[in-house]
Amino acid sequence: MADKTVLLAEDDASIRLVVNQTLVSAGYEVRATSSPDALQRWVRNGEGDVVVTDVYLGDTSIFDLLPSMKLARPELPFIVMSGQNTILTAASAAEHGAFDYLPKPFDIDVLSSLVRRALKSAPASERAINPEAQKAAYDAGLPLIGRSDAMQEVYRLIAKVMNTDLTVLIEGESGTGKELAARAIHQLGQSKNGRFIALDLAAMPPAEINRELFGTSGAPGAAHLKGGTLYLDEIGDLPAEAQAQLVKLLREQGGARLIASTRRSLGRLVEEGKFREDLFYRLNVMRLTLPPLRQRKEDIPELARAFLIRAQRQGLAARTFDKSALDLMAAYDWPGNVRELENLVLRLAVLSSDSVITVMDVEREMRMGAAEKTGSNPGFEAEIEALLHRYVMGDLVASGELDESNVHESVINRVERPLIRLALSVTSGNKVRAAQLLGMNRNTLRAKINALGIAED
């Protein structure tokens, strides 16, 4: 049992000492604190196998902290102790998902027995010896993944709204997981027994939107759903006629819990006259913003491991990442956000020939993905042309009468310099890997670095 860690949170020093000594004598490692912040940090960092905590840590109620901690670690058992031995305390412990409730004063042997039972209740995957595999198994089953500060704020807001019927507006770039957040609010909250209906407004023609939302004669639409959740993805693309109907429905309190999401600024659309102001204010009751992946890069290794676990559960071979592969993924900005990362991991799980995915595998798939985007996106060339028009047109005009001109060489140098710097950045300065990434040999790359005056860190 020495490999099991109990997180003990108790602000009474004498009780903390007795419980600590008892659990250590029983063979557990114990981390003890009186600080709610320390407890939350340990839990979110994946530490501990069971939590023993008092209801109150100073002025902080553990029931205010449990929702976000359970969201981050749903399988972690919590044993709640309390000197306020009322049915309300016991009911609150059960409602918040505590493993058990222990009224004070208690027999210390009873607490030891509870800790032992709580540890046995954890599924086998949670008792993995490898802590990284343990975290990945936890993460793979979560609706949202990540322990960064940015995601903790998301979890806190979800915990506040999930047991209400308030309308929620989820903002974020494409691929950040807006629908996953909406499903988490539904599945973890009071609407979980009802239906979850998701409509992608950006992909539907106006007639279909009206039919799906408001129904036809004799057949009610999704907006008349009772007791469930209606999720409207890309609400900013809702046609004007449907906006007016939705406002009317919201005035009448249609019955479905409404969650909307947008990649566009609804406030700006209102200013441009493209979105109804009254609908905006009815939607903007509780606002949840999902951060882009580039703003929470510390979550990328956990996300990548979790996606591999999910791929394995779908029938693909078990694989792992080596550290350099994870480092490379963490250095990239992921313009497609979590969706782009998940797609890359799935391709790697299918195509990699070895059980360990290396940095070379990642580089190959990232390079192929970039080539496909360039070839299929005419906007890329249009942006390049616009930049050339802005910065090079004057040089071209000025040199048009000359027999000799170095405009082409100048432009190539200006493009090549940041490209090489970018390749060195994503390979952490490794010139061999950077040369392979750029499709040139190492000596050519070294010569270009010298000729272009690229500083080496």
Side-chain angles (χ1 to χ4, degrees), residues 57-134:
L57 301 175
D59 296 328
T60 303
S61 169
I62 195 66
F63 298 138
D64 292 334
L65 309 179
L66 263 175
S68 62
M69 289 193 288
K70 292 293 286 183
L71 192 61
R73 300 272 300 280
E75 301 303 325
L76 181 65
F78 284 77
I79 298 171
V80 176
M81 309 177 292
S82 176
Q84 299 180 357
N85 304 331
T86 70
I87 191 170
L88 290 178
T89 307
S92 292
E95 180 184 349
H96 287 84
F99 175 79
D100 214 330
Y101 163 71
L102 191 62
K104 295 178 180 178
F106 52 81
D107 188 323
I108 201 68
D109 292 334
V110 173
L111 175 60
S112 295
S113 176
L114 275 180
V115 170
R116 186 165 58 251
R117 283 172 43 210
L119 289 169
K120 286 183 179 179
S121 74
S125 62
E126 304 300 339
R127 300 194 295 270
I129 296 175
N130 184 338
E132 296 299 344
Q134 181 179 356

Side-chain angles (χ1 to χ4, degrees), residues 167-171 178 182 230-235 258-262 266 283:
T167 299
V168 180
L169 178 62
I170 304 176
E171 298 176 313
K178 297 188 290 293
L230 174 60
Y231 170 60
L232 301 181
D233 189 18
E234 298 304 345
I235 189 74
L258 182 61
I259 302 177
S261 72
T262 178
L266 293 189
L283 293 173

Side-chain angles (χ1 to χ4, degrees), residues 339-354:
R339 186 184 298 130
E340 182 183 4
L341 173 62
E342 184 173 15
N343 289 341
L344 174 76
V345 172
L346 184 59
R347 290 202 308 272
L348 289 165
V350 172
L351 299 175
S352 294
S353 56
D354 198 351

